[in-house]
Amino acid sequence: MSSPDGTAPPDRPNGAAADPATDETPAAAETPAGTEEPRIEDLVHETSDPAPRFEGLAEEHAEHEAAEHRAAETMTEAGVESTTGTAARPADTDKKVELGPVGHLGDRLFAGLARGSGGLVVAIVAFVGIFLLALAIPSLADNNSSFLFSRIWEPGGDDPRFGIAAMFYTTVISSIIAMLIAVPIAIGVALFVTYYSPKRLAQPVAYAVDLLAAVPSIIYGLWGILFFAPILRPVIDGLASALGWLPLFEKPPGDNVGVVFTASVVLAVMILPVVTAISREIFQQTPIEHREGALALGATKWEMIRMAVLPYGRSGVVSASMLGLGRALGETVAVLIILSVPNGNDPWNSSIFAGGETFASKIANNAAEFDSPEKTGAYIAAGLVLFVVTFLVNSAARIIVARSGPGGKRPRRNRRAGSSTATEGATS
């Protein structure tokens, strides 16, 4: 529709004529004079454009999927598969990197050495046990007394009689006393170095304790009998006067310094660095989340140690204690120097304030008597018992560690809490 002067209306700057099919004019609009009244069909009739075409969009979508597919592919050593799980395109196979075969000789060699080392240790232990048993059987067959319950030790002659009851008692009681003294002190030193001591003092104390393991056994023996035994004499007198009514603390007549109690204290000093070092390392590995969580809940440092550190390090402390017990059971030179050998005619005394002999000290002290197969077999039989005791102690330690470690024991169910929870659920 044109203007009265024949020009384009103002809304068309290019001067194009209006298209009555596309332009809409309100019905109430005024028309200039001399113009034709538009028809209603021209006003309402609109020509529609043809339907849109999507051929180009489909091609763009296909190209987009192909680009995502190529970007998601990862180059492995074989350079074959795609992470999307689809097969690689034939056109992409020429671009992939083909690597040479990877050799597994080093892996096989390392695995073989590891298996061989483990098998070698088991074979050595089995060989030692078989060797001791083979040499001890003939002497045990000729023994005329109870090997396990007799305290007589006369392996030579035509009537050999020998038993390990006295040696077994001295070995076990001295090791137990040493453990009772060493383990609490070792745990206290480990906690002091780890959580209480200043950093400047922690390292020197740790080094000083670790250096105790480097002292030779003969030095411990000489120090124990010449220096430490006189210091312990008042302690022995006090324990004997207070607990002398017990056979374990009864003091025999005489002024003997080489007693089981002195040897036990020296053994405690000898096993102290082993238990302390392992316990210290275990306590340091306590997760910081456990410690900080306990402190955040309002626990004191001792409560944090009791609830977080000690439960976490229980298995490590048990392992360290069992290693120290093995050292105490097999210690030879220091015990040999400290313990006084009782006279064969004297009656046996079960007091820790009397002398005695352990398995190791008995064998070392009578090595000169290995002049006949019968005598040698008797001492080897005693060594076999010590071997079995040590093996059983280590086995028990493994069982205790497995049960006290994480996941080894199921937590106890709180029945009261469970019943209250069930009651709340029923009421809700």
Side-chain angles (χ1 to χ4, degrees):
M1 184 171 60
S2 59
S3 61
D5 56 356
T7 62
D11 56 346
R12 294 185 181 275
N14 55 359
D19 189 0
T22 58
D23 292 344
E24 296 181 0
T25 304
E30 297 180 358
T31 57
T35 60
E36 185 179 357
E37 183 73 18
R39 293 181 298 175
I40 216 66
E41 297 89 89
D42 297 336
L43 294 176
V44 300
H45 179 69
E46 295 181 356
T47 58
S48 59
D49 293 336
R53 298 177 181 180
F54 296 96
E55 291 83 359
L57 295 178
E59 294 180 359
E60 292 180 0
H61 182 66
E63 292 179 358
H64 181 67
E65 286 186 348
E68 288 184 350
H69 176 74
R70 288 192 297 270
E73 290 183 349
T74 56
M75 183 64 66
T76 59
E77 292 182 357
V80 178
E81 294 296 333
S82 169
T83 57
T84 58
T86 58
R89 296 187 176 185
D92 296 339
T93 55
D94 298 336
K95 300 179 181 179
K96 293 173 181 178
V97 178
E98 296 291 339
L99 300 178
V102 180
H104 299 286
L105 179 61
D107 295 338
R108 295 175 181 175
L109 183 61
F110 181 78
L113 290 176
R115 294 190 185 97
S117 300
L120 180 62
V121 172
V122 175
I124 290 175
V125 174
F127 176 76
V128 171
I130 294 173
F131 168 78
L132 295 176
L133 185 62
L135 294 182
I137 286 177
S139 297
L140 292 175
D142 296 337
N143 187 16
N144 295 322
S145 64
S146 176
F147 176 71
L148 296 177
F149 301 102
S150 176
R151 295 190 299 268
I152 301 174
W153 190 263
E154 296 176 357
D158 298 333
D159 186 19
R161 295 180 300 167
F162 54 90
I164 61 168
M167 291 183 290
F168 183 84
Y169 174 81
T170 305
T171 303
V172 171
I173 196 65
S174 61
S175 301
I176 291 176
I177 295 175
M179 294 294 296
L180 293 176
I181 297 173
V183 172
I185 297 176
I187 294 175
V189 173
L191 291 175
F192 171 76
V193 172
T194 307
Y195 294 105
Y196 288 97
S197 174
K199 293 183 178 180
R200 295 181 179 180
L201 184 61
Q203 291 298 330
V205 172
Y207 292 154
V209 175
D210 293 341
L211 285 176
L212 291 176
V215 179
S217 299
I218 190 171
I219 303 300
Y220 277 115
L222 294 175
W223 170 74
I225 191 63
L226 297 178
F227 176 78
F228 200 59
I231 296 177
L232 288 179
R233 187 174 299 173
V235 178
I236 294 174
D237 295 337
L239 290 175
S241 60
L243 302 174
W245 52 275
L246 294 173
L248 188 63
F249 297 96
E250 181 182 359
K251 186 178 180 181
D255 192 11
N256 189 8
V257 293
V259 297
V260 175
F261 181 76
T262 304
S264 302
V265 176
V266 174
L267 286 176
V269 177
M270 296 178 68
I271 67 178
L272 183 66
V274 177
V275 184
T276 303
I278 299 177
S279 302
R280 184 178 70 247
E281 295 297 328
I282 294 297
F283 292 155
Q284 287 178 349
Q285 295 177 7
T286 305
I288 192 172
E289 294 84 1
H290 297 181
R291 292 179 284 162
E292 297 297 336
L295 294 175
L297 292 174
T300 62
K301 179 175 286 189
W302 160 241
E303 291 174 343
M304 179 269 295
I305 292 173
R306 182 173 57 87
M307 294 186 298
V309 177
L310 292 180
Y312 180 83
R314 184 185 298 113
S315 60
V317 173
V318 173
S319 300
S321 302
M322 294 301 105
L323 288 176
L325 180 59
R327 172 73 186 275
L329 289 172
E331 179 56 37
T332 304
V333 178
V335 178
L336 175 64
I337 295 175
I338 294 174
L339 281 181
S340 60
V341 180
N343 192 355
N345 298 325
D346 294 338
W348 179 73
N349 196 335
S350 61
S351 175
I352 61 174
F353 301 142
E357 288 180 299
T358 63
F359 284 110
S361 65
K362 183 72 173 181
I363 296 172
N365 196 27
N366 296 275
E369 297 185 7
F370 297 172
D371 52 357
S372 63
E374 291 79 10
K375 291 183 179 181
T376 304
Y379 289 101
I380 289 179
L384 177 63
V385 174
L386 179 60
F387 176 81
V388 173
V389 169
T390 307
F391 185 81
L392 293 177
V393 167
N394 292 332
S395 301
R398 297 300 303 173
I399 295 174
I400 295 173
V401 170
R403 290 186 177 181
S404 60
K409 183 186 294 184
R410 295 180 60 184
R412 295 182 179 178
R413 182 180 177 182
N414 192 339
R415 297 181 179 178
R416 182 177 301 176
S419 60
S420 61
T421 306
T423 305
E424 292 176 0
T427 54
S428 62

